[in-house]
Amino acid sequence: MRRWTNALIPPAARCSSTRVAASVGATRKLVDWACWITSEVYGGLPEELVDEVASAGTIFRPSTTFRRHAAEYHNQGPPFGVMYDACSAAQRREAADNAVVLVDGLQVWWTDFLYQ
């Protein structure tokens, strides 16, 4: 994943993911935005974003933290957002990096991104 982050995200943008990760609210909005965009592209949130086994067959392998947040986005139960509060800054940065790589990959390769 780090290779994709380095290849797709310019150095200046990578620094901003650290700033995003410092804020629980900003991280949540970024991951929610990525999930919403992905849902729009695929007509729903693909299983590959929430299931570790399913994601193993894709070029984009989201972190455990991102998959948990994507599952929470998909289910949108009453405790929506609680998981973000429990994450460390490193976990939030990992999820933010995944969100940016996902959106950028969709922008470049559209629906082929997950299944290359």
Side-chain angles (χ1 to χ4, degrees):
M1 181 47 75
R2 179 60 52 199
R3 188 185 86 207
W4 276 100
T5 302
N6 291 337
L8 295 174
I9 304 172
R14 274 185 253 135
C15 295
S16 66
S17 70
T18 301
R19 288 193 300 267
V20 168
S23 166
V24 172
T27 304
R28 178 179 175 181
K29 286 181 182 183
L30 179 60
V31 173
D32 288 355
W33 177 67
C35 289
W36 179 80
I37 289 170
T38 305
S39 293
E40 291 293 309
V41 168
Y42 290 105
L45 205 58
E47 184 179 5
E48 290 81 2
L49 297 185
V50 297
D51 182 80
E52 182 177 10
V53 174
S55 70
T58 69
I59 195 164
F60 175 71
R61 291 187 179 85
S63 67
T64 300
T65 303
F66 183 89
R67 285 194 313 274
R68 287 179 183 157
H69 293 322
E72 186 175 285
Y73 173 88
H74 179 70
N75 296 326
Q76 290 195 10
F80 188 58
V82 172
M83 288 176 49
Y84 289 90
D85 294 330
C87 287
S88 68
Q91 289 171 315
R92 288 192 305 270
R93 180 175 181 179
E94 184 178 62
D97 286 345
N98 284 174
V100 172
V101 170
L102 176 60
V103 171
D104 193 49
L106 290 172
Q107 182 268 323
V108 173
W109 291 288
W110 196 240
T111 57
D112 292 338
F113 177 60
L114 292 179
Y115 309 106
Q116 289 187 34

